[in-house]
Amino acid sequence: MTDALKLDGDTLIFADDQPPPVAPVAPVALAQWKILIVDDEEEVHRLTRWVLADFRFGDRGIEFLSAYSRVEAEGILRRETDIAIVLLDVVMEEDDAGLRLAHFIREDLDNAFVRIVLRTGQPGQAPEHEVIADYDINDYKAKTELTTQKLFTTVTTALRGYRDIMTIEASRKGLEHILDASSSLFEKRSMTQFIEGVVLQIQSLLHNHTGAVLCSLRANRVHPDDYEIVAASGLYSDKVGQVVGEVLPDAIIADISEAYRRRTNVFRDDRCAFFFQTRNYEASVVYVHGTEALHDVDRKLMEVFCSKIAIGFDNVYLFDQLAEAQKAIVYALARLAEHKDQETGDHVRRVETLSDNITSELLARRCFPELSESELVKHIGLASILHDVGKVGIPDAILQKPGRLDPDERAVIERHAGIGQSILDDAGHMVQGMNYLNVAAEIAGSHHEKFDGSGYPRGLSGDAIPLSGRIVAVADVFDALVSSRPYKKPWSRADAIAYIRGESGRHFDPLVVEAFLAVAEPKV
Ligand code: C2E
Ligand code: SIN
Ligand code: SIN
Ligand code: SIN
Ligand code: FE
Ligand code: FE
């Protein structure tokens, strides 16, 4: 998980990757504004502190830091990254010490946030206009001007500027974070994973949150007992799958109900409920419980984030629907071929599982470097289901012949590889983005090739046979051997394994056989 975005007053801090505290903690006092006085005259420090002693801005007082030379100031500025204002003398250990320090702040520290107010003893030392612009020096005062009223005005203006800059910066970082979070959400393709991701991201967006729940309502009902908790974190993490009305405290039920009823976000001091509307659920609410009041910036972030979540929900839902539709079509096609072949649905499922397992084993063994970057890992199982789909083009009389095939019949049956490949190639070209169809075409066309070049339809050998075909060949033959066919009785598992082992380097790729043996042999 990423660092939590922590808004401490107006200062953005990247908190460590720690779980949020579960027990509520007392709200922390707002930090004070830090003002650094840089001057080689003690009197200036004393006077400034005295004049500003009771100064407050935005409910926060002032913490003074003092430096008596450029070098000392540089040390303090390196250490204290949240200084709001530097009241800066021009001439100290060098005639241009103040300007050198301004340069150091903006260029070396790359700190564009701290406000710099130059104070000089003599008007003749006024820096050039370019210098003021280049170093973003925010004010320029003669020390004689520092009467009580003038200093108040100067510091107020500078703090207002600093506060606004920090607020914008916090929003900017927050938006960046939301964009990051949203894109990782969109990668999650299953609804369960997606919902868990949402709750995790909320945890990283809001500091000090003690718990979050995401609840959804499927039908057009508004009773609390109808909201199901689909994901949860922190205090509520054990409540997934239960209904809001039964497991959450009354105050929370009331917030969530109100959000649903009014179809709006509900904010309380230490908690809030975000409403969002999606296609697949009637409505959803993310409820977040914090340890202290949410800052305005946090609220805005959550609002933006929740609008993104709604889009993400819809995307994931449509993707899930599409994937389900694809699977249904694949199974239907495979059943069609099986029907002619008098096989049961179990054959293709077993070939699917075995192909997946062999592929995972090959991946783990790093046998084929290309496998780790290939789409094959994702698609081979589903694609393997269609390896014999070309049998739809073979006459039943041949397929269901109880005895051995004569050479002419054999030639006809061998055409199932090419037929399958061309059906699936055509389908793959018609439908964009269904990569598994391309893999399926490759498998259909190559699952009867043999490693030694004696297979069909092309007589390819070794690496010239697509890896997908080399994998499915092993899975297909193994399952054909242990199954009953019109032309043969089932073999025992041990005999079939021995046969595959014996064909290593002849019918099958030796590396694929090794992976097969690792997943197929009973563990000792
Ligand atoms: P299938 O039944 O799914 O068999 C797939 C592959 O498993 C076969 O590819 C073959 O490599 C292997 N296999 C299946 N049974 C045996 C067996 O008893 N002994 C050995 N050594 N290997 C076996 P193949 O030979 O290219 O056959 C492709 C398809 O042609 C078979 O798919 C099946 O539908 C059909 N077929 C093959 N031989 C016969 C046969 O003698 N009679 C009939 N009716 N159909 C056959
Ligand atoms: C965070 O990690 O909380 C903030 C990250 C960012 O703003 O990019
Ligand atoms: C001093 O060095 O403090 C006097 C000159 C100045 O304030 O710029
Ligand atoms: C393919 O090129 O995808 C299949 C090759 C083959 O038919 O063996
Ligand atoms: Fe086949
Ligand atoms: Fe088969």
Side-chain angles (χ1 to χ4, degrees), residues 341 343 388 391 398-399 401 403-405 410 413 448 456 476-477 480-481 485 487-488 491 499 507:
D341 209 10
E343 283 179 22
D388 272 343
K391 283 181 179 172
I398 300 178
L399 275 177
K401 180 177 173 176
R404 288 197 61 79
L405 301 169
R410 177 86 210 167
I413 233 168
H448 287 294
Y456 63 92
D476 181 37
V477 171
L481 291 177
R485 291 283 193 268
Y487 63 94
K488 64 172 272 292
W491 294 23
Y499 178 84
H507 189 158

Side-chain angles (χ1 to χ4, degrees), residues 76-236:
I76 292 174
L77 281 156
R78 264 188 214 288
R79 221 168 42 235
E80 310 277 340
T81 52
D82 56 348
I83 292 174
I85 302 177
V86 177
L87 297 173
L88 182 55
D89 190 13
V90 173
V91 180
M92 291 175 291
E93 66 262 56
E94 305 103 351
D95 281 352
D96 60 348
L99 296 180
R100 288 175 64 169
L101 187 65
H103 181 268
F104 169 83
I105 291 170
R106 299 298 189 219
E107 304 293 325
D108 298 353
L109 291 183
D110 202 18
N111 180 343
F113 304 135
V114 59
R115 304 293 79 200
I116 301 176
V117 176
L118 273 185
R119 300 201 289 182
T120 181
Q122 293 115 30
Q125 289 158 348
E128 306 285 339
H129 280 304
E130 302 87 74
V131 174
I132 292 184
D134 286 354
Y135 297 154
D136 184 22
I137 286 166
N138 311 103
D139 210 342
Y140 173 70
K141 292 275 180 281
K143 281 183 184 170
T144 49
E145 281 187 276
L146 294 179
T147 61
T148 307
Q149 191 50 49
K150 283 241 166 82
L151 189 56
F152 257 77
T153 313
T154 299
V155 168
T156 302
T157 306
L159 281 180
R160 188 175 289 133
Y162 179 76
R163 181 198 58 190
D164 293 348
I165 285 174
M166 293 316 288
T167 304
I168 292 166
E169 177 65 8
S171 300
R172 189 188 66 75
K173 295 238 180 190
L175 276 173
E176 239 173 64
H177 192 70
I178 280 176
L179 289 177
D180 271 12
S182 312
S183 53
S184 61
L185 278 178
F186 292 154
E187 283 162 16
K188 299 207 178 2
R189 291 308 198 185
S190 99
M191 193 53 88
T192 325
Q193 259 188 314
F194 177 84
I195 291 167
E196 281 164 7
V198 168
V199 169
L200 277 178
Q201 295 296 349
I202 288 170
Q203 204 161 323
S204 72
L205 281 173
L206 293 182
H207 68 303
N208 286 341
H209 107 289
T210 50
V213 296
L214 188 153
C215 34
S216 291
L217 191 61
R218 278 185 186 276
N220 193 14
R221 295 174 298 188
V222 287
H223 191 266
D225 286 354
D226 298 328
Y227 316 135
E228 188 193 342
I229 299 177
V230 257
S233 70
L235 279 179
Y236 313 111

Side-chain angles (χ1 to χ4, degrees), residues 30-104:
L30 288 172
Q32 298 189 306
W33 304 107
K34 282 189 188 169
I35 296 185
L36 173 62
I37 307 167
V38 186
D39 205 298
D40 53 358
E41 282 175 82
E42 175 58 33
E43 184 61 13
V44 171
H45 291 261
R46 208 187 52 76
L47 198 68
T48 307
R49 284 168 187 260
W50 180 73
V51 167
L52 294 176
D54 298 324
F55 182 92
R56 292 189 73 74
F57 177 75
D59 268 350
R60 296 162 66 175
I62 289 179
E63 176 187 344
F64 289 103
L65 303 166
S66 278
Y68 297 87
S69 69
R70 172 179 65 80
V71 175
E72 191 189 353
E74 287 183 5
I76 292 174
L77 281 156
R78 264 188 214 288
R79 221 168 42 235
E80 310 277 340
T81 52
D82 56 348
I83 292 174
I85 302 177
V86 177
L87 297 173
L88 182 55
D89 190 13
V90 173
V91 180
M92 291 175 291
E93 66 262 56
E94 305 103 351
D95 281 352
D96 60 348
L99 296 180
R100 288 175 64 169
L101 187 65
H103 181 268
F104 169 83

Side-chain angles (χ1 to χ4, degrees), residues 447-463:
H447 74 285
H448 287 294
E449 298 290 357
K450 294 188 177 177
F451 200 69
D452 62 8
S454 66
Y456 63 92
R458 301 190 194 170
L460 299 175
S461 63
D463 291 349

